[in-house]
Amino acid sequence: MRDVPWDRTGKCKGETPAIALIDPKYAANVAKVLRLASCFGMEQVWFTGRRIEADLRDQSRLPREERMKGYKDVKLIQDDRLFDRFDDGVVPVAVEVRDSSESLADFWHPEDALYVFGPEDGSIPKVLLRHCHRFIVIPTRHCLNLATAVSVVCWDRQLKEHLAGKTATTPGEWENRGYE
Ligand SMILES: C[S@@+](CC[C@H](N)C(=O)[O-])C[C@H]1O[C@@H](n2cnc3c(N)ncnc32)[C@H](O)[C@@H]1O
């Protein structure tokens, strides 16, 4: 692929809150996560691995969202050493189905969270779980689609900020539409 719509210089500095996807397989999911980050006010989406490049090559034409041209307020960054790019204050939160994880229902989100998600066809590898400080599970009967899991966590963060009296966004405020 000649020109990819993400930074892969290895020189980006982590800014929280942010989302990290470990070795995602489908470009469409990464594009959806980019959109979610924009919707929920997160400025960086990081990912490891190169599988989405192969996925993009296999597509003859992608729908607009999947072309990942919009949502320019979010930076998409490929970096296999992404944990090294954040300051010490970062709180990596592994979002994964594990026996010992805290339930998202009772979780109060750290301000400087980096939410880490596993790939569509696997889970966060042990070697990367060691970088994580908190471990949460979304209490569902089955595993969610990757982008859906990101959506639930982003919404939960926003809802709990609202419950704590901190929410800035109001309905109709986005895209300068005003109230309808
Ligand atoms: C589609 S799931 C991975 C598939 C799963 N390991 C399997 O094959 O059954 C992709 C990622 O979404 C997140 N995820 C999905 N459902 C989740 C849940 N209920 N709780 C926590 N994380 C979840 C995790 O980060 C997971 O690695």
Side-chain angles (χ1 to χ4, degrees), residues 20-39:
L21 307 176
I22 305 304
D23 202 19
K25 187 172 182 189
Y26 299 117
N29 269 334
V30 177
K32 287 185 172 87
V33 171
L34 194 69
R35 181 178 186 160
L36 284 166
S38 182
C39 288

Side-chain angles (χ1 to χ4, degrees), residues 72-167:
K72 291 197 189 306
D73 53 337
V74 181
K75 191 153 192 183
L76 185 59
I77 306 153
Q78 194 282 339
D79 193 328
D80 289 342
R81 303 189 59 180
L82 63 92
F83 290 101
D84 296 346
R85 314 302 178 206
F86 286 80
D87 288 339
D88 288 348
V90 67
V91 183
V93 179
V95 185
E96 194 54 88
V97 181
R98 303 174 82 230
D99 283 345
S100 54
S101 294
E102 292 176 66
S103 168
L104 178 65
D106 304 314
F107 186 68
W108 286 89
H109 296 253
E111 200 160 323
D112 291 321
L114 169 64
Y115 298 99
V116 183
F117 295 84
E120 296 88 338
D121 54 350
S123 46
I124 305 170
K126 274 198 182 122
V127 64
L128 297 183
L129 285 173
R130 277 193 223 120
H131 289 267
C132 296
H133 302 177
R134 305 287 297 270
F135 303 85
I136 59 172
V137 61
I138 306 163
T140 51
R141 293 181 186 187
H142 306 284
C143 209
L144 296 161
N145 159 275
L146 173 58
T148 307
V150 174
S151 175
V152 170
V153 170
C154 289
W155 166 247
D156 188 79
R157 180 185 173 97
Q158 182 164 295
L159 175 64
K160 284 173 180 161
E161 282 179 355
H162 172 74
L163 293 174
K166 289 194 251 172
T167 306

Side-chain angles (χ1 to χ4, degrees), residues 8-25:
R8 55 181 179 192
T9 59
K11 290 184 179 158
C12 284
K13 187 175 169 353
E15 284 167 26
T16 54
I19 296 166
L21 307 176
I22 305 304
D23 202 19
K25 187 172 182 189

Side-chain angles (χ1 to χ4, degrees), residues 27-28 55-56 59-68:
D55 184 39
L56 280 172
Q59 321 272 339
S60 54
R61 191 164 197 287
L62 293 164
R64 200 162 79 106
E65 180 185 315
E66 278 71 26
R67 272 184 262 153
M68 298 194 274

